[in-house]
Amino acid sequence: MTEDAEVEVNLSPTSETEQQAPHFLRDVIFHGKFKLLKALTPEETSHSQQGLYLQDGQRRIDYVLTYNVKKPGGGRSMRHSTYLLTENAVARSLRRSHHKRDKRARLHQAQKAKAQLSPPSPTVADVELGCAGETLNGHEDHKAFRREEFEAKLRDMGLVLEKDEDGKIPGLGFVKIHAPWNVLCREAEFMKLKMPTKKVYEVKQSSSVVEKISSLVSKALEPLHPHVEEHRPKNIKHLSHTFTREKLHLFDLSDKDSFFDSKTRSSIVFEILKRTTCTAKYSMGITSLLGSGVYTAAYPLHDGNINKESPESSDRKLLYEEWANYGVFYKYQPIGLVRKYFGEKIGLYFAWLGLYTQMLIPASLVGVIVFLYGCATVDDNIPSMEICHPRNNITMCPLCDKVCSYWRLSTACGTARASHLFDNPATVFFSIFMALWAAMFMEQWKRRQMRLNYEWDLTGFEDEEDHPRAEYEFKVMQKSMSKDKKTKHKVEKLTFRDRLPAYMTTVVMMLLMIGVTFAIVFGVILYRISTKAALHMSSNPVTRSHVQLTVKTTAAIINLVVILILDEVYGAVARWLTVLEVPKTDKSFEERLIFKTFILKFFNAFTPIIYIAFFRGRLVGRPGSYWYVFESYRMEECTHGGCLMELCIQLSITMLGKQLIQNNLFEIGVPKLKKLIRYIRSKQGGFQEEERKKKLLRYETDHFLEPFAGLTPEYMEMIIQFGFVTLFVASFPLAPLFALLNNIIEIRLDAKKFVTELRRPVAARAKDIGIWYDILRGVAKVAVIINAFVISFTSDFIPRMVYQYMYSPDGSMHGFVNHTMSYFNVSHFQDGKEPMEPLYLGYPVEICRYKDYREPPWSLTPYEISKEFWTVLAVRLAFVIVFQNVVLLMNDVVDWLIPDIPKDISLQIHKEKILLVELFMKEERVKSHILESRVSAGGPAFCSRSNNNNNYTTAHPRSSLHTNSTKSF
C-alpha cells in the first residue's frame, strides 16, 4: 500500500461513534483529521497544487460546487477559535446516547419545518455549538442546513466530498466531488453508456474507383488536418457495447483511471446531482439549489493549462493549439477531440458548422462568378446604355411633392449600371443553384451525422425522458396544496387548462412584439420620406445630387441598430414567455425557447428586407393621384433602376453589421467584460498585491470563467445567416462569400471561447442537432418561394423577357426603357402638389414620364392600367408557379438520389451486430462448457462470483475469453 493510499484510509471514519455521527458532524471530524494530516505533510503533491485532484493527490475532482461563506471578522485567528468551538461541540455530541441524538434530530427537523412556514427570526443562536455571540443570519443558516442535508445524501450515493473554505477567493467555499470506481460503474450501467470492449475489428476499405480517388484526395489534404490522433486514418475500431457490471470481462479495465474519461465522469456526477432529492419542497436537487442560492455555481473542471510554457500535456492544451487558434484557420477541425472533451452535443454543433462552412465554398465561387458576369456585361446592357446615353433627354416626374422638381433620366445612370451587377440573367441561374445547394447541404449533413453516430458509438442511442424541471415540480406541488386537503387525489402533472393563461400570454406577447417590428419598419419609412424631402430643399447641389444614396444608407444603418437592440429584447421576452409556460423537461423548455426566439428574430431581421423587396414602389399610385400616409407623407417609390439595388444595400448592411458587431464583437467583448465584473465583485482586486505570487488552483480559476449558457445563441446566429444566404440570394450573390469569411473567423472564435472563456460544459449525449434541422429545412423551403417572387416581382427579369419576345420590333432590348414608362400631363397635378421650381431644368415641362404600365393622357381611358401590365403580371405569376415546382421537384430528386446513410457505414453497422452476436454466443459456449465439466465432476452447478469493490467479476475460467476477445477480425 502506498503512502497516499494510507492517507485515504486514515481520512475515513474509524470508530463506530464517528460512523454513527450526523453527516454535518462527520464533516467536522474529517476536517479536523485532515488539518492534522496537513500539518504532518507540509508540501502538497503537484496534482493537488494544480487543483485537479483532491488533497491526497490521487482522486480526481470530477465536479465542483461553490457557495457563499460569511465568516466573522478576525481573520485566521477567529477561524481557528471557531474551529476549536466546533471541535468541543463534536466531543460533546459524540458522548451523547442514541436516544438523545435521535431526539435532537427530530427536534431539529421540527424546527426546520417551522422555519419554512414562518419567517426566520432576526437572531438565531445554536446552543449546541455554544456560539451565542456569533450568530448567523437565519436565511443563510437555512441555506447551510440544506447544503449539509444535500451533501449527506450525495455521500449516501457513494460520492466523495471535500470542502475548501480557506481558499484564495474570500467569501467563497468550494465542494470538490469525486466519483469512486464503483459509483462510476453503477451510474454508467444506469445511463446505458456504450463503452469500447477488448474486441477489435478491421474496418476494410472498399476497392472501388471512388474509394481510391477519395484516398488520394485524403492524402493530398493531409497537411490540412490538425496534428491530433483523432484525425489520423484508423483501420482498427473497438467493438462497443452497453456497459454492464455483469460483463466487466468484456472491457479493458487495465487502467481504471482512464477507462472513464473526464467528460464521462463529470456527466455521471451531474446526473447524480440532478436526481438527488433534498427535501419535498426542493425535490430537484442541484437545479433548485442553484436557483434558490444555496449553491452559487456548479461546474466540471477544465483539464490543465493552455500556456505554451506549461510542460503538462492535456486535451485542453491540444485543443487550444490545434483548434482555438486563428493561425490554423485553414485546417479542418479536430471534431473527435472536441467530442472527447466537450461531449457529443457540442461536437455535433461544430461538425455541423464545419460542414456548413465547407459547403459555402462552392456557393461563394458561383456567387463571385455571377457578380463578375454582371461586371463584364454592364457595358453591353442595352437598358442601362439607353439610360446613360448623353442624348437621352427624357424628363421624369418629381419623386416627392412640392420641394422635388423634374429630373432627367440620365442622372440615374450610376444606379442603373449598379443594378445590372445584381439584376442580370445569371441571377436566375444562381437562385436555382442555391436552392439545390441548400438541398445538397441538408443531405450531406444527414450523411455526416450518421457517420459521426457510427464513429461515436451512438447508433443505438435513444433520447431518454429527462428529469422534470424544478419549476415544474414546484408548480405541481402548488397545485396539489391548493386543492382540498380532504381529497386524496394526488396531482401528478400540469394540464392544458393549467397552462392556458400562459399560452394566451404567449400569443398576445408574440403578436405584440411582431407588431413592434412592423411599427419600427413603418417609422423608418416615414424617416426616409421626410429626410428625402428635407434634403431636396437643400441649397447645396452636392447634397441634392446624392439624396437617394444618403437616404438609403442611413435608413439601412438605422434598421441595423434597431435590429441589434430588438434581438436582445426579443431573446429576453422569449425566455420569459417560456418560463411562464412551465415546460416539464429541459428538452421541452429548450425547444419552446428556440421556436419563440427564432420567430421573433426572423421577423426582426427580415421584415425591413421583405418590405423593400415586395411592397415598396407598389403601393404608390401615379402622378396626380398618389397614395399618402397621414394625408401628408407620400408613399415612397423605387428609382428607375428598380428596388433591387436598395434591397442589396439593405441586405448587405444588415448581414455584415450583424456578423461584425453582434456575432464577433459581442462574443469577444461581452464574456471578457462579465469576467472582469465577476473578478471585481469577488474582491480579488482588494488583495491582489498580497496574493500576487500565489497561484489560483484550477477549480478557483474556473470560477472566474463565464458560465455556459447553451448552444441556442450559437445556432441562432448561424440559422439567421443561413436565411440571409438563401432567402434573398437573387438580389445579393455575394452573400455566400461574406458568410464564408465570417464563418472562418466564427469557428475559431467559438473554439477559443469554449476553451478559454467559458466554464467547461457538462457533456451531453445527442445523436442529431434536434429542432434546428427542422428549422433549416423550413428555411430552405421558404427560400425557394421567396427567390421566385424576388426574380419575378422585384427584378426586371420578367418585364425584359416579355418585351423582348412579345413587343420588341426586332427581338432585341432596344426601346425597353421607353416601353416601361408612361406619360403624364403636368397640368393634371393636384392643387398644391406641383413642383415649387418648375423651371429647374431650364425649360418648361408639359409632359413628364414615370415608370408604370398605364394609358397616356390623350387616350380614351387616360391613366388606366394598360394591357401590357396584365400580360407582365400573368407571366410573373406563371414564372413563380413553374419555378417553385421545378426547384422543389429537383430538391426531391436530390433527396432521393443521395442515401441518408453512407453505404460503408451501413455495412460496418451490420458487421458490428454480427460481431456482437458472435461474441455473446462464444461466451455462452464457454459457460456451457464450464457448467458441463462441473456437473460431470460432481461439483456445484453454478459459477462462483467474487465481490471486489462492489464490481462483480466472474471466476477464473473466463480468463480464456479475455485473451480470445482481443483478436482482430
Side-chain angles (χ1 to χ4, degrees), residues 714-932:
E714 314 298 334
Y715 273 113
M716 188 63 66
E717 65 183 64
M718 289 295 107
I719 297 296
I720 297 297
Q721 184 200 84
F722 183 78
F724 283 119
V725 169
T726 55
L727 292 177
F728 294 92
V729 73
S731 62
F732 191 38
L734 296 179
L737 176 62
F738 290 124
L740 174 63
L741 297 177
N742 174 80
N743 287 5
I744 291 175
I745 302 174
E746 180 74 20
I747 290 177
R748 306 303 165 181
L749 181 65
D750 284 348
K752 192 170 185 179
K753 181 173 66 175
F754 273 82
V755 174
T756 64
E757 299 292 337
L758 296 179
R759 292 174 186 164
R760 187 176 183 180
V762 178
R765 289 185 296 171
K767 65 178 182 179
D768 52 42
I769 60 176
I771 192 175
W772 296 110
Y773 182 80
D774 299 327
I775 294 177
L776 282 171
R777 287 189 65 88
V779 172
K781 298 291 184 184
V782 173
V784 176
I785 301 173
I786 288 184
N787 279 298
F789 277 94
V790 168
I791 295 171
S792 181
F793 287 91
T794 308
S795 72
D796 282 338
F797 174 76
I798 298 299
R800 286 196 299 262
M801 187 175 64
V802 170
Y803 174 79
Q804 184 175 2
Y805 293 104
M806 296 184 65
Y807 297 104
S808 176
D810 55 358
S812 68
M813 292 300 297
H814 289 286
F816 171 74
V817 175
N818 185 66
H819 175 77
T820 57
M821 291 192 297
S822 301
Y823 296 88
F824 177 73
N825 191 331
V826 298
S827 62
H828 294 163
F829 270 122
Q830 295 175 335
D831 294 338
K833 305 296 182 182
E834 63 277 357
M836 298 173 59
E837 301 181 25
L839 300 178
Y840 177 76
L841 298 178
Y843 56 86
V845 177
E846 296 181 358
I847 297 293
C848 64
R849 309 291 294 273
Y850 61 100
K851 190 175 181 179
D852 204 351
Y853 290 104
R854 291 184 179 271
E855 297 291 340
W858 53 81
S859 66
L860 297 177
T861 54
Y863 307 124
E864 292 292 329
I865 297 176
S866 62
K867 61 180 182 179
E868 288 86 353
F869 172 84
W870 300 111
T871 303
V872 172
L873 179 62
V875 176
R876 281 174 165 168
L877 294 176
F879 176 84
V880 169
I881 296 174
V882 173
F883 183 90
Q884 292 180 24
N885 291 333
V886 170
V887 174
L888 292 177
L889 177 62
M890 294 172 70
N891 286 349
D892 293 338
V893 171
V894 170
D895 192 4
W896 177 71
L897 289 176
I898 302 177
D900 294 344
I901 305 177
K903 186 176 180 180
D904 60 326
I905 297 299
S906 179
L907 294 176
Q908 296 299 336
I909 293 175
H910 182 66
K911 183 178 181 180
E912 278 198 355
K913 292 180 180 178
I914 295 176
L915 290 176
L916 275 175
V917 173
E918 291 179 355
L919 179 63
F920 293 138
M921 292 299 295
K922 187 174 184 179
E923 182 184 359
E924 290 299 322
R925 286 195 296 269
V926 173
K927 286 182 179 179
S928 300
H929 178 71
I930 296 173
L931 182 62
E932 290 174 359

Side-chain angles (χ1 to χ4, degrees), residues 472-506:
Y472 180 84
E473 293 283 347
F474 184 70
K475 286 292 184 181
V476 172
M477 184 200 69
Q478 282 186 326
K479 182 180 178 182
S480 300
M481 294 177 63
S482 63
K483 289 186 173 292
D484 190 1
K485 295 182 180 180
K486 295 182 180 180
T487 61
K488 298 182 179 180
H489 178 68
K490 183 179 180 181
V491 179
E492 297 182 352
K493 65 178 183 179
L494 298 180
T495 62
F496 176 81
R497 185 176 180 180
D498 298 327
R499 292 193 176 100
L500 185 59
Y503 290 153
M504 296 298 296
T505 304
T506 298

Side-chain angles (χ1 to χ4, degrees), residues 112-130:
K112 183 187 120 184
K114 184 178 179 180
Q116 289 180 348
L117 297 175
S118 61
S121 58
T123 1
V124 180
D126 194 340
V127 182
E128 278 295 321
L129 296 180

Side-chain angles (χ1 to χ4, degrees), residues 410-627:
S410 57
T411 57
C413 174
T415 304
R417 290 172 62 88
S419 297
H420 178 73
L421 302 178
F422 306 99
D423 187 6
N424 55 70
T427 57
V428 180
F429 157 77
F430 189 54
S431 299
I432 299 175
F433 170 82
M434 288 302 296
L436 296 179
W437 172 87
M440 188 75 70
F441 166 59
M442 304 301 294
E443 293 303 314
Q444 286 296 109
W445 169 244
K446 284 194 291 187
R447 291 170 61 85
R448 173 67 168 155
Q449 193 170 251
M450 285 304 303
R451 187 175 296 276
L452 292 176
N453 285 342
Y454 163 72
E455 294 176 357
W456 296 349
D457 299 321
L458 294 172
T459 49
F461 172 72
E462 295 294 338
D463 292 331
E464 299 179 0
E465 186 176 357
D466 201 358
H467 300 287
R469 298 173 62 248
E471 294 81 358
Y472 180 84
E473 293 283 347
F474 184 70
K475 286 292 184 181
V476 172
M477 184 200 69
Q478 282 186 326
K479 182 180 178 182
S480 300
M481 294 177 63
S482 63
K483 289 186 173 292
D484 190 1
K485 295 182 180 180
K486 295 182 180 180
T487 61
K488 298 182 179 180
H489 178 68
K490 183 179 180 181
V491 179
E492 297 182 352
K493 65 178 183 179
L494 298 180
T495 62
F496 176 81
R497 185 176 180 180
D498 298 327
R499 292 193 176 100
L500 185 59
Y503 290 153
M504 296 298 296
T505 304
T506 298
V507 172
V508 172
M509 287 299 298
M510 292 281 286
L511 293 177
L512 177 62
M513 294 297 101
I514 294 174
V516 169
T517 302
F518 290 158
I520 291 175
V521 171
F522 183 72
V524 175
I525 294 173
L526 296 182
Y527 163 80
R528 276 199 292 257
I529 295 172
S530 58
T531 304
K532 184 188 298 183
L535 293 178
H536 273 291
M537 297 174 62
S538 175
S539 58
N540 190 342
V542 177
T543 303
R544 299 187 67 172
S545 61
H546 296 86
V547 169
Q548 294 293 337
L549 180 61
T550 303
V551 172
K552 293 175 185 177
T553 306
T554 55
I557 294 175
I558 292 174
N559 269 323
L560 171 63
V561 173
V562 171
I563 287 172
L564 294 178
I565 295 174
L566 289 184
D567 265 354
E568 302 301 321
V569 175
Y570 288 166
V573 170
R575 177 169 291 276
W576 173 66
L577 293 175
T578 309
V579 170
L580 284 182
E581 294 177 2
V582 197
K584 183 176 181 180
T585 63
D586 289 332
K587 182 179 179 181
S588 176
F589 181 91
E590 184 181 24
E591 290 180 349
R592 296 187 186 197
L593 175 62
I594 289 171
F595 179 75
K596 295 182 185 66
T597 307
F598 172 74
I599 293 296
L600 292 176
K601 292 193 174 184
F602 182 88
F603 274 96
N604 185 37
F606 292 103
T607 299
I609 300 173
I610 292 175
Y611 162 74
I612 295 174
F614 302 126
F615 296 99
R616 184 177 178 184
R618 287 165 180 81
L619 306 174
V620 178
R622 61 169 181 84
S625 181
Y626 283 115
W627 293 7

